[in-house]
């Protein structure tokens, strides 16, 4: 399961969502502007406040890092 935490104004969030969609990789998006209650979870889990943050089966990728995302998906 992939969950992508985004904001409305983040260009890297758009890049990440497009990257996943172009490869047919299903994901759930949680927009932190629309769901501010999720901010605490993300910050507690990663210690980071920036976006995008991607959770893949309990492991985190900070920022737009396609190589790391593909590594985690292959594990």
């Amino acid at each position: 399961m992939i969950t992508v935490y985004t904001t409305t104004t983040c260009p890297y969030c758009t890049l990440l969502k497009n990257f996943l969609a172009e490869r047919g990789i299903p994901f759930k998006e949680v927009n932190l502007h629309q769901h501010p209650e999720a901010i605490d979870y993300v910050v507690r889990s990663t210690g980071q406040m920036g976006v995008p943050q991607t959770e893949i089966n309990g492991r985190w990728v900070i920022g737009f890092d396609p190589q790391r995302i593909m590594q985690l998906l292959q594990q």
Side-chain angles (χ1 to χ4, degrees):
M1 170 67 145
I2 300 174
T3 304
V4 179
Y5 295 88
T6 66
T7 61
T8 307
T9 57
C10 167
Y12 291 103
C13 298
T14 301
L15 286 172
L16 176 58
K17 292 184 292 183
N18 289 343
F19 172 81
L20 294 171
E22 288 167 2
R23 284 155 184 78
I25 300 169
F27 64 94
K28 173 185 169 189
E29 178 181 3
V30 178
N31 185 308
L32 297 176
H33 285 154
Q34 297 170 351
H35 300 280
E37 70 280 1
I39 294 171
D40 286 340
Y41 170 71
V42 172
V43 173
R44 274 194 327 268
S45 298
T46 68
Q48 303 288 321
M49 293 183 65
V51 289
Q53 294 198 41
T54 306
E55 186 177 15
I56 302 172
N57 298 322
R59 310 224 13 223
W60 289 89
V61 178
I62 310 301
F64 178 55
D65 188 346
Q67 183 177 6
R68 181 69 178 137
I69 288 168
M70 295 309 290
Q71 285 175 345
L72 289 177
L73 289 175
Q74 292 172 2
Q75 291 181 355

